Amino acid sequence: MLRPQDTATRERRSLTGIWDFRLDGTGAGHDARWFAGPLADARPMPVPASFNDIVPDVEVKNHVGDAWYQTSARVPRGWAGERIVLRFDSATHRAVVWINDTEVMRHEGGYTPFEADVTDLVTPGDEVRITAVVNNELNFQSLPPGVVQEGPRGRKQTYFHDFFNYAGIHRPVYLYATPTTYVSDITVVTDFDGAAGARTGKVSYDVVVSGDGSQDVRVLLRDADGEVVATGDGASGELTVQDAHLWAPGDGYLYELEAQVVDGDALVDSYLQTVGIRTVEVRGTQFLINGEPFYFTGFGKHEDQAVRGKAHDDAMLVHDFELLDWIGANSFRTSHYPYADEVYDYADRQGIVVIDETSAVGQNMGVMSGMMGMPAMETFSPETINDDSREVHAQAIRELIARDKNHPSIVLWSIANEPESASDASREYFEPLFALAKELDTTRPVGFVNVMLSPFGTCKLAEFSDVIMLNRYYGWYVDTGDLEVAEEHWRAELQGWASLDKPIIITEYGADTVAGLHSTTADPWTEEFQSAYLDMNHRVFDSIDAVVGEQVWNFADFQTSQMVFRVDGNKKGAFTRDRRPKAAAHLLRKRWTGKSDPSWAGSDRD
């Protein structure tokens, strides 16, 4: 699904702003047709934003069920004769949308876009009413999963993931216009020949045109200076770029492909697609970008901020990337869901490498029994996560790859985080999902993130993964505080995984740390312990050749549900939630950049 953009033939109007908002825990609004007129008893609510922390009210924060949003917008009169589309970049975890009194779309899944052609329902120059009901309930068939339970004070959502279940309209909403014959999809795949300094780039493209007019396609590829370096005719083809400037980690060089629909000499539609020429390959225990071994340094991150919750924010986006640059990180994982489109665009331009993950987190009832004290039950069964769940999961994979396939920053698909992976049932559930991901994209490796409950020798999914991704907390959740014993246990398990002859990325390792808490004996929860813990892990990684990456959990402290072992959220961040560095941030900066000073005097950049 192509993002809205302004071109010579297209125009978009953002609906960001203050919408009317009303909670509906009983689901009465559907039968009462709240969409059919102005939303009564409404309060203001910003879009984009999670609604949970905007209002100082526990009923809002912990709301379970429907939440209604409504706004009005005037359709530009210049859009007469155009195709007009309403698009939501996300609504967590599902939504139904109306234009005036007419339902126009439904969507399941909280982190990917959805849209509807509303041309026949609107009149350019007139105002329209837009209503959306967003539902945050989780069940065994949703991604992520959860259960809603009836308690003495009403319904309560129990969810199986360790981050707060923020909900609402988290990303921008647009009305946009295209010609009635238009580019509806573009796929680009890149390659190159030749040694450094004499590379010939290859850009294969496939353009899909929809509508009933001219289907003739012309493409132009421009370099970063705007000079045309290659052209092509036809909906599919391959462009050759002499002396290509490759996209590489730390060098986010982008070309721009313009796909034009033409009718003779007349331009019918134009869409611009950025292109980074690069290759990704797994060879033995090596992870190769442009044929060169790559070592991941960085973090698991969350879309998580005070007040805004999971709302996309450009200021925080740029600030976080500046901190990634300062600390020497070259990568991150979108743990545990697809991020906003803007994040990937920025990663492309900054040369930051991304592991892109679905929202399949919490598919492990063993973790729930251990952490949350829930009754023991099978993760995969007809009564829990089942065939219907797998179809929802498959659709999430389809939407993730369809949206993100053209980003050069994305080098690896992660189809799940910490699922139960030691049973035959887990193998039966996941084998077709791995096959689907590899069918949808043959150019990137596919993997999943393994949890400690399925150690080496027990995991039944590793054979399907091109890369081994491990979340391990030796010295924290196990061997707590005893780093010497933890180091022995961790090295022993990692040596086992190395025998599979696949690259290993440590996608999580970390220790909860209260900023400003210190001790002379490196006790757990202190900044001294977090630093000692990281040092221990790094000694283990450096001793195993198959390890090709380390991503600390987490980039910054983040909010979780209320639990006795979570004090105002998860504190494993190298930075606090408001992005102040802990001692661990300086330790990581020294390891990843060789720079040990805080650079108070100014920028490290040339």
Side-chain angles (χ1 to χ4, degrees):
M1 183 184 296
L2 298 179
R3 292 182 63 197
Q5 61 178 224
D6 297 313
T7 71
T9 60
R10 294 170 173 243
E11 190 174 5
R12 61 185 170 170
R13 169 159 292 186
S14 172
L15 301 184
T16 293
I18 308 298
W19 291 40
D20 291 331
F21 175 82
R22 182 178 176 183
L23 295 179
D24 179 19
T26 64
H30 285 273
D31 290 341
R33 294 173 55 84
W34 287 4
F35 56 83
L39 190 60
D41 301 320
R43 69 195 327 156
M45 186 62 62
V47 170
S50 301
F51 61 74
N52 308 80
D53 291 345
I54 299 294
V55 181
D57 184 338
V58 69
E59 299 299 327
V60 177
K61 184 179 184 70
N62 296 324
H63 171 73
V64 178
D66 289 345
W68 290 75
Y69 289 81
Q70 190 176 86
T71 192
S72 60
R74 188 169 299 279
V75 181
R77 61 181 182 178
W79 290 3
E82 297 286 274
R83 167 181 170 263
I84 301 172
V85 179
L86 174 64
R87 173 188 172 106
F88 285 68
D89 276 358
S90 76
T92 306
H93 292 278
R94 63 191 57 81
V96 183
V97 180
W98 293 263
I99 287 283
N100 295 326
D101 294 356
T102 302
E103 181 183 321
V104 294
M105 54 182 160
R106 293 176 177 241
H107 184 256
E108 174 72 26
Y111 302 99
T112 45
F114 54 103
E115 64 183 28
D117 185 329
V118 297
T119 308
D120 294 338
L121 299 174
V122 302
T123 301
D126 286 357
E127 194 170 71
V128 296
R129 184 178 66 253
I130 299 167
T131 307
V133 58
V134 179
N135 181 276
N136 69 345
E137 296 175 54
L138 300 173
N139 55 53
F140 277 114
Q141 281 63 62
S142 64
L143 285 188
V147 292
V148 176
Q149 299 168 311
E150 293 291 341
R153 297 188 59 193
R155 302 164 78 230
K156 180 181 179 181
Q157 176 76 71
T158 298
Y159 42 97
F160 307 157
H161 53 272
D162 190 22
F163 54 94
F164 193 82
N165 191 41
Y166 282 116
I169 301 175
H170 287 147
R171 298 170 189 164
V173 182
Y174 294 98
L175 280 170
Y176 73 93
T178 75
T180 54
T181 299
Y182 58 97
V183 176
S184 57
D185 194 23
I186 299 175
T187 303
V188 294
V189 176
T190 66
D191 200 350
F192 65 91
D193 291 326
R199 299 183 181 97
T200 299
K202 299 178 182 180
V203 179
S204 298
Y205 66 89
D206 183 65
V207 178
V208 179
V209 178
S210 298
D212 54 7
S214 169
Q215 304 288 312
D216 293 334
V217 175
R218 178 173 62 207
V219 298
L220 302 90
L221 188 70
R222 299 181 178 89
D223 63 18
D225 296 323
E227 298 296 324
V228 175
V229 296
T231 61
D233 291 306
S236 300
E238 182 177 276
L239 306 178
T240 299
V241 183
Q242 301 299 328
D243 298 323
H245 188 149
L246 301 186
W247 187 97
D251 183 7
Y253 189 91
L254 296 176
Y255 293 85
E256 183 179 75
L257 184 142
E258 181 181 1
Q260 298 178 340
V261 182
V262 295
D263 186 1
D265 292 332
L267 178 65
V268 177
D269 190 26
S270 170
Y271 194 88
L272 304 175
Q273 175 64 58
T274 53
V275 176
I277 299 176
R278 62 102 180 95
T279 61
V280 175
E281 179 186 0
V282 168
R283 187 186 305 161
T285 60
Q286 291 185 316
F287 194 102
L288 306 175
I289 299 179
N290 299 333
E292 299 292 330
F294 178 70
Y295 190 92
F296 295 76
T297 61
F299 301 93
K301 289 180 90 275
H302 268 298
E303 291 183 314
D304 174 272
Q305 305 169 55
V307 182
R308 296 174 181 84
K310 288 198 174 304
H312 174 70
D313 182 278
D314 283 337
M316 194 59 74
L317 167 68
V318 175
H319 183 53
D320 280 359
F321 272 74
E322 290 292 330
L323 292 177
L324 292 174
D325 178 71
W326 174 84
I327 206 169
N330 60 24
S331 65
F332 63 87
R333 176 170 59 118
T334 68
S335 43
H336 304 294
Y337 39 81
Y339 286 5
D341 291 279
E342 291 84 351
V343 177
Y344 304 94
D345 287 344
Y346 203 69
D348 290 344
R349 297 188 180 281
Q350 297 300 311
I352 293 291
V353 171
V354 178
I355 300 173
D356 202 7
E357 190 163 84
T358 72
S359 55
V361 54
Q363 296 179 318
N364 195 321
M365 296 311 297
V367 172
M368 288 304 299
S369 297
M371 287 184 62
M372 313 293 189
M374 289 191 64
M377 63 179 73
E378 295 294 325
T379 300
F380 301 101
S381 74
E383 293 75 32
T384 54
I385 298 174
N386 55 26
D387 291 347
D388 292 337
S389 311
R390 185 171 55 201
E391 182 47 46
V392 172
H393 198 155
Q395 184 61 22
I397 293 171
R398 293 185 192 102
E399 293 185 11
L400 175 74
I401 294 176
R403 188 194 70 163
D404 295 344
K405 61 189 174 184
N406 294 327
H407 288 287
S409 59
I410 297 171
V411 301
L412 174 59
W413 303 115
S414 173
I415 66 170
N417 177 75
E418 297 189 348
E420 188 277 297
S421 64
S423 68
D424 291 337
S426 68
R427 180 191 175 99
E428 181 181 350
Y429 177 90
F430 274 102
E431 185 174 4
L433 297 178
F434 278 100
L436 173 64
K438 293 179 180 183
E439 175 188 347
L440 292 171
D441 183 9
T442 62
T443 70
R444 293 178 178 88
V446 176
F448 84 107
V449 176
N450 169 282
V451 70
M452 200 164 190
L453 295 180
S454 298
F456 174 72
T458 69
C459 179
K460 296 182 181 294
L461 304 184
E463 65 176 286
F464 305 121
S465 293
D466 300 309
V467 176
I468 302 299
M469 293 184 280
L470 303 176
N471 292 352
R472 292 296 185 272
Y473 292 92
Y474 287 99
W476 186 250
Y477 291 125
V478 295
D479 304 324
T480 306
D482 192 339
L483 297 182
E484 185 175 350
V485 171
E487 184 169 351
E488 294 176 3
H489 290 164
W490 190 190
R491 183 175 285 107
E493 188 193 355
L494 203 49
Q495 287 170 340
W497 287 106
S499 69
L500 298 181
D501 195 37
K502 294 183 180 185
I504 301 171
I505 304 171
I506 313 304
T507 40
E508 289 185 24
Y509 64 109
D512 282 277
T513 305
V514 176
L517 183 63
H518 297 281
S519 73
T520 59
T521 52
D523 299 323
W525 290 92
T526 65
E527 294 198 41
E528 287 78 15
F529 181 83
Q530 187 180 35
S531 295
Y533 169 94
L534 294 176
D535 274 337
M536 178 275 288
N537 276 269
H538 297 154
R539 288 193 299 271
V540 175
F541 306 161
D542 292 346
S543 70
I544 307 292
D545 290 340
V547 173
V548 299
E550 56 195 56
Q551 293 185 330
V552 175
W553 190 257
N554 192 280
F555 173 73
D557 297 344
F558 58 92
Q559 193 57 261
T560 67
S561 61
Q562 298 175 12
M563 293 177 280
V564 294
F565 53 90
R566 292 283 180 253
V567 183
D568 191 32
N570 190 304
K571 300 297 186 185
K572 294 186 182 68
F575 298 91
T576 61
R577 199 180 188 204
D578 60 353
R579 281 29 177 193
R580 290 173 293 168
K582 301 176 187 177
H586 295 284
L587 179 150
L588 293 167
R589 183 171 188 264
K590 184 175 182 180
R591 174 172 171 84
W592 294 342
T593 71
K595 299 171 183 175
S596 58
D597 67 283
S599 294
W600 291 314
S603 174
D604 298 324
R605 294 176 176 173
D606 294 334

